[in-house]
Amino acid sequence: MILPAILYFIVFCYLPMGGIVLAFKNFNYQQGIFDSPWVGVRNFEFLFSSGTLWEVTKNTILYNIAFILVSLVMEVLVAIMLSELAGKWFKKITQSVMFLPYFVSYVLLAALVYNLFNFEYGVVNNILISWGQEPVDVYSNPGIWKYLLVFFHEWKGLGYGVVIYLAALTGINSEYYEAAKIDGANKWQEIGWITIPLLKPTMIIVTLFAVGSIMKGQFELFYQVIGTNSLLYSTTDIIDTYVFRMLTQTFEPGMGTAAGLYQSVLSFLMIVGVNYLVKRVEPDYSLF
């Protein structure tokens, strides 16, 4: 029964690893992957000397740290709020409405963002003009996208994360809360001394998995919403979009593969490092 899963990972994950050799070659289509001339680490030297790699690495790490922290706080907070609601139907409706954006494709999200912030006929600028204010050219302002991308990432993924923590909350034994009430604890004390500590294992596991993809970024979000708007690259370009442009616009498979290999090595080091820290603090919650 696990054979299809094994074949999937072999075909789509392990066999393509042979393409790593492109990072050390000057690829041309006539000679192919294995017959193209070797150039050693020249591709890496160009990436590091250009200065672009540092910028996209910084953007990738900072965005994903923001995604992880904001998601962790909001998902735990909203899950606890929903679990404390008394109205059964209101709770279900609220949970369903929050979960709907998860099923919205990034293409539709990009269309939504464009219609909100378009300079000429966007909803936001129309509201500003109706209030007698000057319109804002959001698509020429790199600074504001640091906040917009975090907001829309959280808007899209909040419902899914809340479901995970709600499932963890249902597994908490109600006897803990009954004992706390007998001891005179109020609702805030129950949340602070029972709910959050018992959610800690789930929070750590979810965070560890998120750290595992911290260098991967959110390619669909950045590519669909930002596209090829070079005016915003300084604050919105991440490793994935940089590699994609290398492969599709500048036609440099060697450079793109070198950047991808650099990304994979950093991801591995970050996973091992974070897992080591967790193992030192809470050995039972570490992945290995």
Side-chain angles (χ1 to χ4, degrees), residues 169-183:
L169 285 171
T170 58
I172 298 177
N173 195 328
S174 60
E175 293 180 358
Y176 292 121
Y177 297 103
E178 293 172 3
K181 289 177 181 177
I182 294 174
D183 290 338

Side-chain angles (χ1 to χ4, degrees), residues 42-269:
R42 192 180 303 167
N43 289 327
F44 294 94
E45 291 175 354
F46 177 80
L47 287 174
F48 285 102
S49 63
S50 66
T52 306
L53 194 61
W54 160 245
E55 185 175 83
V56 297
T57 301
K58 179 189 68 174
N59 289 342
T60 304
I61 294 175
L62 292 179
Y63 270 115
N64 281 280
I65 290 175
F67 291 159
I68 292 172
L69 293 179
V70 173
S71 295
L72 179 65
V73 173
M74 291 300 299
E75 289 166 6
V76 172
L77 179 64
V78 173
I80 293 175
M81 290 175 58
L82 286 178
S83 67
E84 297 296 333
L85 290 176
K88 179 180 178 182
W89 288 107
F90 179 77
K91 183 190 299 186
K92 287 188 175 183
I93 293 172
T94 303
Q95 184 179 341
S96 300
V97 170
M98 287 173 38
F99 197 52
L100 284 176
Y102 180 76
F103 298 102
V104 175
S105 71
Y106 282 100
V107 177
L108 292 178
L109 176 61
L112 171 66
V113 174
Y114 184 77
N115 282 280
L116 281 174
F117 299 112
N118 180 269
F119 182 76
E120 296 178 357
Y121 52 83
V123 174
V124 173
N125 279 333
N126 280 331
I127 293 175
L128 289 175
I129 293 172
S130 68
W131 289 348
Q133 304 294 322
E134 291 293 326
V136 179
D137 191 359
V138 176
Y139 280 92
S140 298
N141 185 355
I144 197 172
W145 285 96
K146 294 183 289 186
Y147 309 100
L148 290 177
L149 288 169
V150 174
F151 171 80
F152 284 109
H153 175 270
E154 187 57 28
W155 172 78
K156 195 172 186 306
L158 179 64
Y160 181 83
V162 167
V163 169
I164 295 175
Y165 289 107
L166 280 175
L169 285 171
T170 58
I172 298 177
N173 195 328
S174 60
E175 293 180 358
Y176 292 121
Y177 297 103
E178 293 172 3
K181 289 177 181 177
I182 294 174
D183 290 338
N186 57 37
K187 185 60 67 177
W188 293 107
Q189 290 171 326
E190 290 179 10
I191 293 173
W193 294 97
I194 299 176
T195 305
I196 293 179
L198 291 177
L199 280 179
K200 188 164 67 171
T202 304
M203 294 164 64
I204 292 175
I205 294 298
V206 171
T207 302
L208 280 174
F209 280 117
V211 169
S213 59
I214 195 171
M215 292 300 298
K216 185 181 178 183
Q218 296 285 337
F219 173 76
E220 299 90 348
L221 173 65
F222 286 86
Y223 182 71
Q224 294 295 343
V225 174
I226 304 301
T228 56
N229 187 348
S230 59
L231 295 174
L232 306 178
Y233 283 167
S234 60
T235 59
T236 63
D237 202 17
I238 60 173
I239 295 179
D240 281 359
T241 54
Y242 178 71
V243 172
F244 182 79
R245 286 201 312 277
M246 279 283 187
L247 296 174
T248 59
Q249 295 182 11
T250 61
F251 302 105
E252 291 285 352
M255 298 286 188
T257 306
L261 181 58
Y262 162 81
Q263 178 185 20
S264 299
V265 171
L266 276 185
S267 296
F268 173 75
L269 293 176

